[in-house]
Amino acid sequence: MKKLMIGNEAVARGIYEAGVKVVSSYPGTPSTEITEFAAKYDEMHCEWAPNEKVAMETAFGASLAGVRSACAMKHVGLNVAADPLFTLSYTGVNAGLLICVADDPGMHSSQNEQDSRHYAIASKVPMLEPSDSTESYEFAKAAFELSEQFDTPVILRMCTRIAHSQSIVTIGERENRDRQTYVKNGAKNIMMPANAKHRHPVVEERTNALTVFAETSAFNRTEMGGTDIGIITSGTCYQYVKEVFGDSVSILKLGLVNPLPVDLIRNFASQVKRLVVIEELDGIIETHCKNLGLVCEGKDLFTPLGEYSQKSIAKVFGLADKECFDTQTAIPVRPPVMCAGCPHRGLFYTLAKNKVTVMGDIGCYTLGAQKPLDALDAVLCMGASVSGLHGFNKALGNDSMKTCAVIGDSTFMHSGITGLVNIAYNNSNSLVIILDNSITGMTGHQQNPTTGYNIKGDPAAKIDLESLCRAVGIQRVRVVDPYDLTACDNAIKEELEKNEPSVIISRRPCVLLKSVKAKPPVKIDTDKCRSCKKCMKIGCPAISMVNGKAHIDATLCVGCGVCEQLCAFGAIE
Amino acid sequence: MNTTSIMIVGVGGQGSLLASRVLGNLLVDEGYDVKVSEVHGMSQRGGSVVTYVRFGDKVASPIVEDGEADFIISFEKIEAARWAKCLKKDGKIIVNTQEIDPMPVITGVAQYPHDVLNELKESGAFVDELDALSLAEQAGSSKAVNIVLMGRLAKYFHIEYEKWINQIEKLVAPKFVELNKKAFALGYNA
């Protein structure tokens, strides 16, 4: 059957057909849909884990018990899961284990554009990189055989363009597999020094064997065309190269990007006049070629920044730009914004008004950094708001400064709890605000341990945030409704004044949740409006100025009432 | 390589994913090789969004670049201008004349260029304007702007009307099928 699928759906299909029984992941753009599509198949146990480390360790346990397993994460998620990854390389697998990681060149939805191939090299784990949905499906499926053949986890490297581009996939049937027997084997599975010392040589031998495999593997292929230019490439860049050159150049397309072949590359290089490596982000294949003593071009021509395209590649080869239209008028930028009625807005407004230094975190609420709210001071990575605040406050000592951390419910579950433990244990006078909108928002509404539902939408154990905060040693825990500006203001002022750690839970479900019913839109009484623009300070996309007076877009407004509380003239009702 | 390139542009939340799904699946059923590139995640939140649809005998790149688009379907006025550089010299822009203020306009640091479509036309671009929002409301929901615009695109395509309708029936929730069929017809006949 032929089906148009995004790369992530194709990966899920490959995982399904490989007979996988356990999939554990943490959502993160652009990887999220792998697990969402996988969860549609009832034959597999699929779950949202609290973070990527837990997800990978769950997949490890399932593989050890003898069933094929997988986990998926975005590139920065692999940082969190790096600890199990490096030692999983030593233990190897019982049944096949696939780690899907999605890079985000161009940072469509990420805080950096790290290149995950470094992890494959550093952990000595094979990595596959597909170039469209068909390969996403085929590579995901084939990864399990590779994993079992070489007794290693396998990484499938996606990128935004592959993960979120649809192309046609011809799908097959699920292979039903019995659980492989679990046999206790401490020498292989208990990674303490005495055992690990014997496993490291196994890893080195495996890399040698995989390098030999790479020479002839069907994952890598040569497409000989004109021999004036020979291009070594992989993933989405392969498609751009084909778009620009068709069959007029020779291409070595690498699907197995770690370990890289030696003779295959040398042989290809010997057949072309000019050797160019085209790879997004870092020059990893290029460095490999240069280490082989080959003369090649790469990052001297191409940037390590952002995504490539047919245009950027054509430009490097001096091909003419295509004719295009150009408008002289300046088109205002349209950055993403917090939704009308977003429960985070009232809280951010209050923090900005009180001139609080705010350590931010990863989620929709990172948008609080944008003008006019301009409410954040720093954003680093998942959980860093809480632990960063602790360090900030320790550095301040007795210097007086109003500070707090803001972190979403899902991010708090992911890696905020340990930071809060540190605040309590090492006693800093820190205020942590948990923005509890009852869902993982930014990645498109995934359940998490605070929501009371699992990935399938079935009822599940629900973390009680108030009890959790008290249990780690925070005495002052209070809940506010972020739609109530007075309550927010009082809570923030009071907790900032206290000389002890405290937590405010700002609780109001995401307005985009189906269970949240919008109230009727508010209206402007233009006779009462004095054009003071106070209501514009909250950056609500539903409010604009029309003919000098405030105007509400009734199709966007959900009647949250935050602007109404700001108007000193009672013009909003 | 004979590839047709279409861009669907607009503001996050306007329903471009459904439009690209209808178009993509229709083209697959017509026997073409098809690639569709979407945007998910942060850029969806009221930001400028773009979806690429490419079809032909064999499609390589999933994205569309400067001077390559045969069609730009814009869900909002200035988004048409933002992406117009991607239009081929003989390409066509289909644009919903609805104006949605971006945040810099709301906060007063930028002006909304109301007259931008005329500038495009003066530069020689083919621009087909329609008030898709009113037509969608006429069909029963302002959310049907996406299908109104698909109806408009269908006018320029060689694929039979009924085949478009079949895709709507396949991809839209049953209770919204009639509304969307009406929206499609309104766009087609506008």
Side-chain angles (χ1 to χ4, degrees):
Chain A
M1 195 180 95
K2 276 187 171 183
K3 201 167 177 257
L4 198 56
M5 288 180 169
I6 58 169
N8 283 346
E9 181 180 4
V11 171
R13 181 71 200 185
I15 287 172
Y16 168 76
E17 288 185 17
V20 167
K21 294 239 172 78
V22 174
V23 180
S24 183
S25 304
Y26 184 80
T29 313
S31 71
T32 311
E33 300 83 4
I34 294 172
T35 310
E36 289 185 319
F37 277 107
K40 292 181 196 289
Y41 300 110
D42 286 332
E43 295 95 326
M44 301 191 283
H45 167 80
C46 295
E47 63 178 32
W48 290 128
N51 66 35
E52 296 84 356
K53 180 178 186 291
V54 174
M56 192 182 290
E57 290 157 352
T58 300
F60 156 72
S63 160
L64 186 66
V67 305
R68 287 183 168 182
S69 64
C71 56
M73 61 206 65
K74 67 183 295 174
H75 59 331
V76 287
L78 191 54
N79 300 337
V80 178
D83 199 0
L85 171 68
F86 279 72
T87 309
L88 251 175
S89 175
Y90 281 35
T91 64
V93 300
N94 184 11
L97 195 166
L98 177 64
I99 298 158
C100 307
V101 58
D103 285 8
D104 190 16
M107 292 179 273
H108 293 272
S109 202
S110 303
Q111 67 269 38
N112 74 27
E113 51 184 346
Q114 67 188 47
D115 189 328
S116 292
R117 292 178 296 172
H118 294 293
Y119 273 109
I121 296 167
S123 65
K124 305 182 182 192
V125 165
M127 175 180 260
L128 300 171
E129 182 173 28
S131 71
D132 61 12
S133 296
T134 291
E135 285 188 351
S136 298
Y137 159 77
E138 290 172 350
F139 286 13
K141 202 171 164 180
F144 291 93
E145 281 158 38
L146 189 67
S147 169
E148 287 161 6
Q149 184 187 343
F150 289 92
D151 191 8
T152 175
V154 173
I155 304 175
L156 182 74
R157 183 200 187 208
M158 304 291 285
C159 69
T160 304
R161 281 298 162 200
I162 303 300
H164 288 164
S165 289
Q166 302 176 48
S167 57
I168 299 170
V169 181
T170 307
I171 58 174
E173 297 295 321
R174 177 172 165 91
E175 178 190 344
N176 283 311
R177 303 175 62 86
D178 292 332
R179 183 170 70 84
Q180 279 157 243
T181 320
Y182 168 72
V183 181
K184 183 169 175 166
N185 183 355
K188 183 168 186 283
N189 296 318
I190 302 172
M191 283 304 94
M192 54 188 188
N195 293 337
K197 275 177 192 163
H198 296 289
R199 290 301 298 174
H200 190 184
V202 175
V203 172
E204 298 302 327
E205 283 160 25
R206 183 180 71 205
T207 298
N208 293 339
L210 277 160
T211 306
V212 171
F213 172 81
E215 304 291 357
T216 54
S217 160
F219 290 119
N220 301 329
R221 67 168 188 265
T222 307
E223 297 175 7
M224 292 310 289
T227 53
D228 284 347
I229 300 174
I231 295 171
I232 305 180
T233 188
S234 70
T236 188
C237 291
Y238 166 76
Q239 304 294 352
Y240 305 141
V241 168
K242 288 301 273 186
E243 185 75 31
V244 173
F245 293 107
D247 301 328
S248 68
V249 296
S250 293
I251 300 171
L252 173 56
K253 181 196 175 295
L254 298 174
L256 180 62
V257 293
N258 187 63
L260 292 165
V262 172
D263 293 340
L264 184 67
I265 290 176
R266 281 214 168 102
N267 187 32
F268 179 76
S270 72
Q271 294 177 71
V272 297
K273 287 185 190 138
R274 179 184 176 194
L275 185 65
V276 184
V277 180
I278 304 183
E279 53 190 326
E280 282 176 341
L281 303 178
D282 298 334
I284 289 172
I285 301 171
E286 179 192 355
T287 304
H288 174 74
C289 292
K290 288 185 169 157
N291 286 345
L292 297 178
L294 298 170
V295 176
C296 71
E297 295 161 276
K299 293 297 163 188
D300 46 344
L301 302 176
F302 292 94
T303 173
L305 315 177
E307 287 189 291
Y308 292 177
S309 67
Q310 57 263 35
K311 186 187 168 196
S312 67
I313 291 171
K315 201 181 170 109
V316 164
F317 287 92
L319 303 171
D321 278 348
K322 292 182 175 147
E323 254 195 301
C324 61
F325 291 95
D326 201 13
T327 49
Q328 298 303 309
T329 309
I331 309 296
V333 295
R334 191 186 296 278
V337 291
M338 278 195 280
C339 306
C342 176
H344 304 324
R345 180 172 283 107
L347 190 96
F348 279 133
Y349 170 78
T350 312
L351 288 171
K353 193 185 81 169
N354 283 290
K355 299 192 168 53
V356 181
T357 297
V358 181
M359 307 295 279
D361 222 297
I362 308 288
C364 287
Y365 49 93
T366 314
L367 295 170
Q370 288 179 313
K371 288 189 166 64
L373 288 167
D374 195 14
L376 300 183
D377 286 77
V379 174
L380 186 66
C381 64
M382 299 278 284
S385 62
V386 182
S387 16
L389 174 71
H390 173 74
F392 198 93
N393 287 339
K394 284 291 178 195
L396 287 179
N398 293 325
D399 296 348
S400 165
M401 200 165 156
K402 290 188 276 189
T403 60
C404 79
V406 292
I407 184 166
D409 47 315
S410 185
T411 309
F412 183 67
M413 282 297 109
H414 178 282
S415 47
I417 299 170
T418 42
L420 191 64
V421 169
N422 199 37
I423 284 174
Y425 175 56
N426 286 311
N427 190 31
S428 64
N429 179 17
S430 294
L431 167 60
V432 173
I433 303 177
I434 302 173
L435 305 169
D436 179 10
N437 66 350
S438 311
I439 202 74
T440 313
M442 179 53 85
T443 45
H445 284 182
Q446 288 73 35
Q447 304 295 343
N448 70 55
T450 69
T451 66
Y453 296 94
N454 65 20
I455 193 169
K456 298 233 179 205
D458 297 328
K462 180 174 160 60
I463 291 262
D464 181 334
L465 282 173
E466 293 92 313
S467 307
L468 175 70
C469 295
R470 289 193 186 100
V472 306
I474 307 292
Q475 308 290 326
R476 299 191 60 84
V477 180
R478 62 197 282 180
V479 179
V480 293
D481 177 358
Y483 278 180
D484 184 340
L485 293 183
T486 310
C488 282
D489 197 53
N490 289 341
I492 288 166
K493 284 196 169 99
E494 283 168 25
E495 296 311 321
L496 285 173
E497 274 169 20
K498 293 284 180 274
N499 203 15
E500 62 177 305
S502 57
V503 169
I504 298 174
I505 299 167
S506 170
R507 181 168 286 149
R508 169 70 69 168
C510 171
V511 283
L512 298 182
L513 283 171
K514 286 202 174 80
S515 56
V516 175
K517 296 280 168 262
K519 285 198 221 156
V522 296
K523 290 189 186 117
I524 305 282
D525 184 336
T526 46
D527 292 335
K528 288 186 185 167
C529 176
R530 307 269 188 93
S531 312
C532 71
K533 297 190 180 173
K534 185 97 187 275
C535 56
M536 306 285 288
K537 290 195 171 166
I538 50 174
C540 176
I543 310 175
S544 57
M545 297 299 284
V546 174
N547 301 324
K549 302 278 184 176
H551 171 78
I552 304 287
D553 181 339
T555 63
L556 288 177
C557 177
V558 296
C560 76
V562 169
C563 59
E564 204 178 327
Q565 296 167 59
L566 288 174
C567 184
F569 309 105
I572 305 175
E573 52 200 31
Chain B
M1 229 175 348
N2 202 0
T3 301
T4 303
S5 300
I6 302 167
M7 292 174 70
I8 301 172
V9 304
V11 180
Q14 279 191 302
S16 59
L17 285 189
L18 176 64
S20 66
R21 217 145 277 176
V22 167
L23 185 56
N25 282 286
L26 175 72
L27 293 165
V28 171
D29 287 354
E30 288 295 295
Y32 291 106
D33 187 26
V34 179
K35 284 193 177 166
V36 180
S37 191
E38 311 169 343
V39 179
H40 299 220
M42 182 172 250
S43 43
Q44 269 189 296
R45 303 276 176 267
S48 176
V49 294
V50 54
T51 304
Y52 307 110
V53 180
R54 306 189 77 216
F55 68 98
D57 297 336
K58 178 82 185 131
V59 180
S61 171
I63 64 172
V64 180
E65 290 251 307
D66 295 4
E68 292 181 347
D70 294 277
F71 294 94
I72 293 177
I73 301 142
S74 181
F75 285 39
E76 199 271 350
K77 189 191 274 181
I78 58 168
E79 293 308 310
R82 188 188 312 284
W83 298 99
K85 66 178 186 304
C86 294
L87 193 70
K88 268 184 189 163
K89 277 289 170 189
D90 59 349
K92 294 179 171 63
I93 295 179
I94 297 168
V95 54
N96 174 21
T97 50
Q98 185 184 354
E99 296 182 356
I100 301 173
D101 286 350
M103 196 45 71
V105 172
I106 289 177
T107 55
V109 297
Q111 295 292 313
Y112 192 102
H114 302 284
D115 204 34
V116 75
L117 293 181
N118 285 331
E119 192 196 331
L120 274 177
K121 284 188 228 165
E122 279 159 21
S123 68
F126 178 97
V127 181
D128 180 3
E129 301 173 46
L130 71 162
D131 181 355
L133 180 62
S134 298
L135 294 172
E137 281 165 352
Q138 204 180 315
S141 166
S142 59
K143 293 205 168 106
V145 161
N146 49 7
I147 299 298
V148 170
L149 290 167
M150 283 298 104
R152 194 63 182 179
L153 177 68
K155 269 182 80 101
Y156 298 99
F157 262 60
H158 53 280
I159 300 170
E160 294 95 320
Y161 190 93
E162 274 312 309
K163 289 185 174 171
W164 290 84
I165 298 298
N166 289 345
Q167 293 300 335
I168 291 173
E169 286 169 345
K170 259 197 256 177
L171 294 165
V172 172
K175 63 176 177 175
F176 297 119
V177 165
E178 281 313 308
L179 186 158
N180 279 291
K181 279 160 84 169
K182 202 171 160 192
F184 187 86
L186 286 167
Y188 191 88
N189 296 314

